[in-house]
Amino acid sequence: MHIVLDDTAMAAAGQGNVLASRLIHRAHAQADWYLYAPACALVEADRARPGTAEHLAALPGITVLDLDLPAALAVARHDTWAAAHCQYVAQPTPDRPDGAIIATTAPDRWIGEPVRVLDLTP
């Protein structure tokens, strides 16, 4: 299972969202569960809730994904870097042939986008 946390999910995890906490626990405790924090989304989450970036980056079950050149080129075509980086990360790759699911507390943000969404709204 490959799951991308968007900025809203990251901020929610820092505020004690039970569903986000369960994802983090699973990614740490279970094999084949992967949780990703795209760097652009991590920045936005930290702007919304200071301290979020340091907290999430320190958790062993979360992989922070840098903004490499292909991601930067994809992000440059969009208005918001956080959502664009999440969408880029969720696309299929050789390591993730089915892509990844975007975890969010703002599912309406993703309507019409070519991604699968996991609603973390309590």
Side-chain angles (χ1 to χ4, degrees), residues 4-84:
V4 177
L5 296 172
D6 78 356
D7 56 307
T8 67
M10 292 181 205
Q15 294 173 326
N17 179 293
V18 173
L19 298 174
S21 295
R22 287 181 185 164
L23 284 178
I24 293 167
H25 174 74
R26 280 207 174 175
H28 176 67
Q30 287 187 294
D32 298 330
W33 274 77
Y34 302 95
L35 205 52
Y36 304 102
C40 293
L42 195 59
V43 168
E44 286 303 314
D46 200 68
R47 286 180 179 165
R49 188 169 192 282
T52 299
E54 289 178 44
H55 173 71
L56 289 176
L59 296 173
I62 296 179
T63 302
V64 176
L65 299 176
D66 295 331
L67 187 65
D68 59 9
L69 179 58
L73 295 174
V75 165
R77 291 184 220 123
H78 294 275
D79 293 333
T80 63
W81 287 28

Side-chain angles (χ1 to χ4, degrees), residues 81-95:
W81 287 28
H85 199 187
C86 290
Q87 183 175 339
Y88 173 78
V89 170
Q91 299 308 305
T93 67
D95 294 340

